[in-house]
Amino acid sequence: MKDSDDERAAAPDTSCPPWALREYAVLADGERGAVLDPRGRIVWLCAPRWHDDAVFSALIGGAGHFTVEPADPWHVWGGSYEEGTLIRVSRWVTSGCVIECREALAMPSRTDRLVLLRRMRVERGEARLKLDLDPRPGFGEVRMREPRREGGVWTAEAEGLRMRLAGAPDAVWRDPAGLCGDFRLGEGETHDLVLELSTARETEPLDADALWRATEREWRQAVPDCSRLVAPRDARHAYAVLRGLTSVSGGMVAAATTSLPERANSGRNYDYRYAWLRDQCYAGLAVAAHGPHPLVDDAVRFVAERILADGDEVRPAYTVDGRPVGPERSLRLPGYPGGNDHVGNDAGAQFQLDTFGEALQLFAAAAAHDRLTEEARRAAILSVDVVERQWLKPDAGLWELEDRWWTHSRLGVVCGLRRMAEVLPGKDGRRCADLADTVLRETRRRCLPPDGRWRRAEDDDGPEAALLVPMARGCTFGDHHDAATRAYIESRLTEDGYLFRFEHPGESLGEAEGAFLLCGFTMALATHRVGDRVGAFRWFERTRAACGPPGLFAEEYDVRQRQLRGNLPQAFVHAMMLECAVRLAGESTLP
């Protein structure tokens, strides 16, 4: 594909017009995610895995979608997730009927095969529903070939993918539109559609009842009870999102999508379908605060494997199967309004020192639950080696900016070293403690001016919300310094109860970018750490409100327009929300 904007594809597929991001829901099974609009159109799905090409790419202006919707255009929509799952129940109300459509990516999942379940049921009246299925591999550039019906099941294939669809034997394949049909259902009647996309020629029957039972069972086992936490339903939803984004490899993607703009026409559109080690650590620490649940082991395993494999060359992000992320390149697609489409991510080649600090904190948390494997212990020792060699080197930091001597990166490393000093016996523990003292001493000299608050960087006195992260973790560097820094951040980076990352010279808050929801939840934790419970709840509840009807968080929030910005669902925001729900309830199993 060519990179020139001038050679992009023509107009987008107008059969699937875009919605505000807050309206989209997401289905996920750990290996891929499907984005669902409120009208019943699945407009985004990569196959067979997160980082592969999209088969449905209407979300970003490409071809390909899977639609089930009422034939009556005069209807309103709604819906909700079944608690503790990513099983979505869409609900449409027309002038004469009420229809529900239960939808999920089937579990347990496989890396080479996905199964999408859609079960329609008429709650009241009689309904006619439309079906449109137009799978287009290669981000919409390829049409499925040789469509045929075998025993009531439609099959087709292209680009190494084979499709099967059960439940639409009377539909008609119309080139170039794909499969089209409709269903008439009376009150109380149900109808199942089962879509399979696989890299192999599958022969297993597409038994909807069996697939639903297995999926329900997997979700019951995957998401723990959160009834003792603050906002228990939202906490379980956050946990379900983290589980849905986590592969069998242990790797957790940052989000299900690519190229959803953080700011219209600003060029800030990124591919987040990869596993960031830092984000994985945030998720592991959040879950560990609740208990020794399987997502802790997943995070420890994936992070340890990457550190042991790459050492000093550890990358910030990988594919979920542990491969390097390729450089950013453009697609020939119109894009979501205000955005430009990209795959790959240039951050995959950066050096981010704070990643090692977060990894050390994760390993220490695992040790607190007696979950520190021998592999993870070796990864912790190697992380200390890397920090010892690299901590004086400028890095890209939490926000993946230009290489500088970022204060947060050093304080995060100090926090991680201190935690591991409490875990590792003998000389290894003493080495961690001594190195922490050395890093902190030099960071104080470079980044702590006489007024007692931490600078953003050695050469930057501005406010920086990333400095709240060590405070949120309970790592203190002097009560006066922490209090002064937190107060300064709050005074300079707050608008209407939401928190921004940092100031952009010459632009007001909200003009350059949206509020960062990670920062709002981090402020809630930092405020709780200093004993201000009321203030912590204010930050928590205000930030928790920044989601759409499906309860999903993006990375940023446009405070004035009350809209989501950026890719979704953003894993580290859901992770920090979960940790808030645990710690504010006084239920944390960690310090």
Side-chain angles (χ1 to χ4, degrees), residues 300-301 303-305 307-308 359-360 362-364 366-367 371-385 420 423-425 427-429 431-432:
V300 169
R301 172 164 51 97
V303 173
E305 287 173 352
I307 290 173
L308 289 175
L360 290 170
L362 173 65
F363 297 147
R371 313 291 284 195
L372 186 69
T373 62
E374 175 57 27
E375 184 179 56
R377 190 195 68 80
R378 289 190 291 111
I381 297 296
L382 181 54
S383 296
V384 177
D385 293 342
M420 285 308 300
V423 169
L424 295 176
K427 66 178 182 180
D428 288 328
R431 179 185 171 211
C432 288

Side-chain angles (χ1 to χ4, degrees), residues 383-578:
S383 296
V384 177
D385 293 342
V386 174
V387 169
E388 195 168 44
R389 290 190 291 267
Q390 303 278 12
W391 71 272
L392 284 168
K393 176 182 174 181
D395 75 300
L398 171 57
W399 309 130
E400 299 173 345
L401 304 173
E402 70 279 7
D403 284 353
R404 293 167 70 182
W405 224 79
W406 299 106
T407 307
H408 159 260
S409 295
R410 276 79 202 161
L411 296 185
V413 160
V414 172
C415 193
L417 290 167
R418 285 179 173 179
R419 292 282 188 244
M420 285 308 300
E422 300 167 358
V423 169
L424 295 176
K427 66 178 182 180
D428 288 328
R430 291 192 297 273
R431 179 185 171 211
C432 288
D434 292 344
L435 182 56
D437 290 343
T438 299
V439 175
L440 181 58
R441 185 165 51 249
E442 181 63 10
T443 306
R444 284 178 180 274
R445 188 183 74 82
R446 296 193 190 197
C447 303
L448 190 65
D451 65 4
R453 61 167 181 82
W454 291 104
R455 290 183 174 128
R456 185 179 181 220
E458 180 183 20
D459 57 351
D460 189 338
D461 283 331
E464 171 57 81
L467 294 169
L468 297 168
V469 176
M471 300 181 207
R473 298 274 177 248
C475 194
T476 60
F477 308 104
D479 291 343
H480 171 68
H481 304 319
D482 293 345
T485 303
R486 195 189 69 82
Y488 186 64
I489 291 168
E490 187 169 14
S491 69
R492 296 284 294 272
L493 297 179
T494 302
E495 181 180 301
D496 198 22
Y498 293 97
L499 195 66
F500 292 76
R501 295 187 299 172
F502 49 81
E503 293 175 336
H504 291 261
E507 297 181 278
S508 62
L509 291 179
E511 185 178 346
E513 64 180 22
F516 249 66
L517 299 180
L518 172 76
C519 299
F521 286 127
T522 306
M523 176 63 90
L525 290 172
T527 304
H528 185 253
R529 289 284 189 180
V530 299
D532 182 359
R533 185 171 174 79
V534 172
F537 268 91
R538 284 176 178 157
W539 278 106
F540 173 71
E541 293 295 350
R542 190 59 166 158
T543 308
R544 186 166 72 102
C547 64
L552 301 178
F553 295 107
E555 189 171 35
E556 296 183 22
Y557 184 67
D558 188 316
V559 176
R560 294 169 192 175
Q561 296 188 44
R562 303 193 181 196
Q563 294 289 351
L564 303 182
R565 300 285 183 241
N567 290 299
L568 80 164
Q570 190 72 33
F572 66 7
V573 180
H574 288 272
M576 205 62 77
M577 184 271 159
L578 175 61

